[in-house]
């Protein structure tokens, strides 16, 4: 399973060089991860925190590109963590950035990490197998 979100490139996303600032890519990736979580778990709340993000920038995005197409998919699961792969593309298909993230399931009462439940694991494993 892959989630996709199209994000309009706003004036505030662009820095003095005329391209989308590198930090804004983190917001774009977050929106795609949130879309993926919603598509996997529906309206049920799934608490998680981002433990790691690695980004390779491949091409610049500018406001004239109009929007960014951001995709996210599950690539693996651990005891309490989920690995994802993300990409940001221009509408013409040009790859602007590739990323890999690790998110960790969070216990909302303690604020600490927790093991994935059997149900969560099955849902996430199904998403990995679909790719």
């Amino acid at each position: 399973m892959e989630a996709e979100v199209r994000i309009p490139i706003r004036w505030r996303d662009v820095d003095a060089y005329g391209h989308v600032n590198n930090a804004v890519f983190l917001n774009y990736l977050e929106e795609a991860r949130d879309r993926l979580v919603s598509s996997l778990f529906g309206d049920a709340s799934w608490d998680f925190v981002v433990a790691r993000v690695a980004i390779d920038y491949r091409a610049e995005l500018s406001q004239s590109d109009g929007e960014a197409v951001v995709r996210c998919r599950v690539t693996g699961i651990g005891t309490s963590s989920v690995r994802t792969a993300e990409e940001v593309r221009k509408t013409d298909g040009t790859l602007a950035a590739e990323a890999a993230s690790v998110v960790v399931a969070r216990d909302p009462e303690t604020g600490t990490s927790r093991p994935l439940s059997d149900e969560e694991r099955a849902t996430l494993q199904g998403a990995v197998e679909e790719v």
Side-chain angles (χ1 to χ4, degrees):
M1 165 180 269
E2 180 177 84
E4 178 180 294
V5 61
R6 291 178 168 265
I7 302 170
I9 298 173
R10 300 163 293 241
W11 176 83
R12 68 178 183 195
D13 296 346
V14 178
D15 62 19
Y17 297 112
H19 61 248
V20 173
N21 184 274
N22 63 302
V24 173
F25 278 77
L26 291 168
N27 297 101
Y28 292 175
L29 298 174
E30 179 181 32
E31 289 195 37
R33 274 193 307 275
D34 287 348
R35 176 72 54 89
L36 179 64
V37 166
S38 293
S39 65
L40 289 171
F41 298 105
D43 292 335
S45 175
W46 194 66
D47 287 321
F48 68 92
V49 294
V50 175
R52 180 178 190 276
V53 177
I55 304 173
D56 292 317
Y57 299 94
R58 304 294 185 200
E60 109 179 346
L61 277 175
S62 66
Q63 194 171 17
S64 65
D65 290 312
E67 62 183 6
V69 180
V70 190
R71 295 184 181 104
C72 180
R73 62 185 173 85
V74 177
T75 59
I77 55 176
T79 302
S80 61
S81 63
V82 179
R83 292 179 305 281
T84 62
E86 298 119 0
E87 62 182 32
V88 179
R89 291 188 180 269
K90 297 181 179 192
T91 55
D92 70 3
T94 301
L95 181 64
E98 313 180 83
S101 300
V102 176
V103 298
V104 176
R106 179 182 173 276
D107 182 327
E109 293 180 20
T110 65
T112 60
S113 66
R114 63 167 179 80
L116 295 168
S117 70
D118 290 341
E119 289 176 357
E120 290 168 332
R121 185 172 298 287
T123 298
L124 292 162
Q125 188 60 47
V128 171
E129 291 170 358
E130 282 185 31
V131 175

